[in-house]
Amino acid sequence: MEADIDRLLDNPYAASLVFVSVTVLSLIVFLSVFELVTKYKCWDEIKKGNLSVAMATGGKIFGICNIFRFSIEANDSIYQSLLWGAYGFVILLIAYFLFEFLTPVFRIDEEIARDNRAVGFIAMVISVALSYVIGATVII
């Protein structure tokens, strides 16, 4: 089975489809995890026009995909890429909890749910910025 996948990945077109497919599936799973740990329902809030939630969610999407970009670039197999991508996601999730729980002035989730765009923007930038740092660590 693994030999078949390795042969498939020798074709650059097939490899591209496989890596993108795995990343999209991982993105769906990881966004579902974020949905479980936030106090608001991302997609319901976005549907209502909550720009803060859209920015924070967009930052998470970018962050997850950016971590996978580094992971795919640095690893030879789909399995290694998936493992390092998942590891990077866990670090991003921990960073989210640190941001949420160590902000002494207000509750991040509550402010984003209230459509505080300044907080939504900062949440987006933190996810994007940390994805570069995390991505740099997954290529070690």
Side-chain angles (χ1 to χ4, degrees), residues 74-75 84 135-140:
N75 292 289
W84 280 105
T137 69
V138 300
I139 61 172
I140 296 174

Side-chain angles (χ1 to χ4, degrees), residues 38-40 52-53 56 60 95-116 118-124 126:
T38 55
K39 294 179 176 147
Y40 51 84
S52 299
V53 172
K60 292 170 188 170
Y96 165 80
F97 283 125
L98 288 174
F99 177 51
E100 171 67 30
F101 296 117
L102 295 180
T103 303
V105 181
F106 52 80
R107 305 301 322 161
I108 302 300
D109 271 358
E110 291 173 10
E111 292 299 316
I112 291 173
R114 287 190 202 119
D115 201 11
N116 182 331
V119 176
F121 180 76
I122 291 298
M124 177 184 71
I126 286 173

Side-chain angles (χ1 to χ4, degrees), residues 1-8 79:
M1 173 81 175
E2 190 171 328
D4 293 335
I5 291 175
D6 288 338
R7 275 196 307 265
L8 179 66
Y79 304 112

Side-chain angles (χ1 to χ4, degrees), residues 49-116:
N50 186 324
L51 186 59
S52 299
V53 172
M55 287 189 290
T57 302
K60 292 170 188 170
I61 291 168
F62 182 94
I64 292 165
C65 289
N66 195 40
I67 289 168
F68 269 90
R69 179 197 83 74
F70 280 99
S71 179
I72 291 166
E73 188 174 59
N75 292 289
D76 293 331
S77 75
I78 189 71
Y79 304 112
Q80 287 176 324
S81 295
L82 183 58
L83 179 67
W84 280 105
Y87 175 73
F89 167 73
V90 169
I91 295 172
L92 188 63
L93 187 64
I94 290 168
Y96 165 80
F97 283 125
L98 288 174
F99 177 51
E100 171 67 30
F101 296 117
L102 295 180
T103 303
V105 181
F106 52 80
R107 305 301 322 161
I108 302 300
D109 271 358
E110 291 173 10
E111 292 299 316
I112 291 173
R114 287 190 202 119
D115 201 11
N116 182 331

Side-chain angles (χ1 to χ4, degrees), residues 13-69:
Y13 299 108
S16 178
L17 288 174
V18 168
F19 281 109
V20 169
S21 297
V22 167
T23 300
V24 168
L25 290 173
S26 298
L27 178 63
I28 292 167
V29 169
F30 297 153
L31 283 176
S32 297
V33 171
F34 270 123
E35 183 86 13
L36 291 172
V37 299
T38 55
K39 294 179 176 147
Y40 51 84
K41 298 296 178 203
C42 297
W43 302 110
D44 290 344
E45 290 296 320
I46 291 170
K47 187 176 179 181
K48 292 181 206 173
N50 186 324
L51 186 59
S52 299
V53 172
M55 287 189 290
T57 302
K60 292 170 188 170
I61 291 168
F62 182 94
I64 292 165
C65 289
N66 195 40
I67 289 168
F68 269 90
R69 179 197 83 74

Side-chain angles (χ1 to χ4, degrees), residues 118-132:
V119 176
F121 180 76
I122 291 298
M124 177 184 71
V125 170
I126 286 173
S127 292
V128 169
L130 285 176
S131 75
Y132 280 96

